Amino acid sequence: MIRFKPDITNTSNVVKIITTIKDVRQKISRARRKGLSVGFVPTMGALHQGHLALMRQARKETGLVVISIFVNPLQFGPNEDFKRYPRNIKGDARLAKTAGVDIIFAPSVKEMYDNSLTFVDMADMTDKLCGKSRPGHFRGVLTVVAKLFNIVAPDIAYFGQKDFQQALIIKKMARDLDMNLAINVLPTVREPDGLAMSSRNKYLSVTERFYANRLYQSLLKAKELIISGEKDSGKIRNTMLSIIKTIPGSRIDYVEIADPETLEKAEKIKKRPVLIALAVFVGKTRLIDNIVC
């Protein structure tokens, strides 16, 4: 695979931001004519070290690193945080440059969905875990990611394990629709106390942030029980709940132990690995996390 030699003529503090499909395709086509492979990291912006880890991996493995910054309205429910989702394109561009990004594709909603009547959906796997409480969410995710894959045409796309269900269904979509790319899922990047990095962590108050790492503590306790030989998922789940309920103002969306390939609940742990996944509101902020063990 041909790797990219950084363009030493680019001495600006930010990466060039491209806002139209036509222009980003032209830029990528020119790079391909030079023999460069394309790595792609889709994001909604509000970048953090988890995103940057994906970008750095793309920098190591591919010739041209492209990211998207697009807050996708299709994946937000009517009472969710689309309007207040953190947006800072200039700050994101500065961070992206430190990770070796070459192109930021930041389209408008109109550019992505002007008079669009076509959607991508998937049976079965999208109505479990996060999909159960967020109907239509994964249709929005799959639709935007399919469009972005068509626009950027990457050789490799990069996702984080924190969004385990999202990464799994995107891999399934790519296989089912014969998309010509590889998908690389990288480990969750965490804060020093274990809290999974997320753009929504910015919503947490000081007190909420103090207690939020107990989500990760509950996952570690579940892992410990499974490794020690506990087979009863109900007992493991109850132990997790007892930890999570010590978070003031918390409200549990789900805590599940499931097959990491199908997302089917595992009432008894008959084989490993298993997925331990949770979604919990800490105050008004919905946080997700998981471990596979």
Side-chain angles (χ1 to χ4, degrees):
M1 183 175 291
I2 299 173
R3 293 186 178 179
F4 178 70
K5 293 182 179 180
D7 181 0
I8 60 174
T9 64
N10 181 9
T11 58
S12 66
N13 292 324
V14 296
V15 183
K16 181 175 176 57
I17 299 169
I18 299 175
T19 59
T20 69
I21 294 169
K22 177 182 177 181
D23 288 347
V24 78
R25 279 177 165 163
Q26 288 178 346
K27 187 81 170 178
I28 293 169
S29 292
R30 286 196 291 270
R32 285 200 175 279
R33 287 195 293 270
K34 295 177 182 178
L36 299 179
S37 56
V38 177
F40 178 49
V41 181
T43 84
M44 293 203 301
L47 301 183
H48 52 68
Q49 289 299 320
H51 296 116
L52 299 185
L54 303 180
M55 297 169 200
R56 293 187 185 108
Q57 189 66 26
R59 177 77 286 152
K60 291 177 182 178
E61 296 181 348
T62 61
L64 185 81
V65 179
V66 181
I67 73 167
S68 61
I69 295 178
F70 178 64
V71 183
N72 175 34
L74 294 190
Q75 67 192 72
F76 288 80
N79 298 313
E80 294 184 344
D81 58 339
F82 173 70
K83 289 185 178 180
R84 70 186 185 104
Y85 193 86
R87 294 164 170 86
N88 181 7
I89 187 69
K90 291 183 179 179
D92 286 344
R94 286 191 291 269
L95 284 173
K97 182 176 175 61
T98 69
V101 169
D102 301 305
I103 296 172
I104 295 175
F105 177 47
S108 66
V109 173
K110 183 176 181 180
E111 181 73 9
M112 288 295 286
Y113 293 125
D114 190 23
N115 296 318
S116 180
L117 298 175
T118 302
F119 302 90
V120 180
D121 210 342
M122 182 182 295
D124 192 38
M125 294 176 71
T126 58
D127 60 4
K128 299 176 174 65
L129 301 180
C130 288
K132 190 172 183 179
S133 59
R134 301 184 73 189
H137 169 70
F138 286 117
R139 184 172 91 151
V141 170
L142 291 172
T143 299
V144 75
V145 172
K147 287 175 70 68
L148 289 168
F149 284 175
N150 283 333
I151 293 164
V152 177
D155 296 286
I156 309 176
Y158 297 83
F159 296 87
Q161 184 183 312
K162 181 182 77 71
D163 298 291
F164 186 95
Q165 185 176 15
Q166 172 180 280
L168 185 67
I169 67 171
I170 288 170
K171 289 176 74 172
K172 176 65 173 169
M173 175 187 72
R175 288 194 300 268
D176 287 355
L177 299 183
D178 300 306
M179 294 179 171
N180 187 28
L181 79 161
I183 293 175
N184 193 349
V185 180
L186 300 184
T188 301
V189 177
R190 299 184 179 278
E191 301 286 357
D193 66 352
L195 180 67
M197 288 192 176
S198 169
S199 300
R200 288 187 169 96
N201 290 350
K202 296 178 181 180
Y203 296 158
L204 297 171
S205 70
V206 173
T207 301
E208 289 165 349
R209 175 63 187 83
F210 177 80
Y211 286 103
N213 71 324
R214 295 187 185 182
L215 300 179
Y216 184 52
Q217 291 174 12
S218 75
L219 292 169
L220 290 179
K221 185 61 179 178
K223 179 180 179 180
E224 177 187 322
L225 290 171
I226 291 169
I227 290 174
S228 69
E230 180 60 67
K231 304 294 185 184
D232 188 329
S233 295
K235 290 182 179 179
I236 298 167
R237 184 174 181 275
N238 286 337
T239 299
M240 294 178 67
L241 292 174
S242 69
I243 296 171
I244 294 168
K245 288 178 180 178
T246 66
I247 302 173
S250 62
R251 178 166 60 87
I252 294 165
D253 185 348
Y254 66 80
V255 173
E256 298 292 354
I257 298 171
D259 185 303
E261 295 181 359
T262 65
L263 305 181
E264 293 289 345
K265 289 184 183 180
E267 301 296 341
K268 291 286 184 180
I269 298 175
K270 299 178 181 179
K271 63 177 183 176
R272 292 175 55 195
V274 293
L275 170 68
I276 314 163
L278 57 79
V280 176
F281 287 89
V282 178
K284 295 182 179 180
T285 306
R286 186 178 183 274
L287 301 177
I288 63 172
D289 203 352
N290 66 81
I291 288 179
V292 177
C293 74

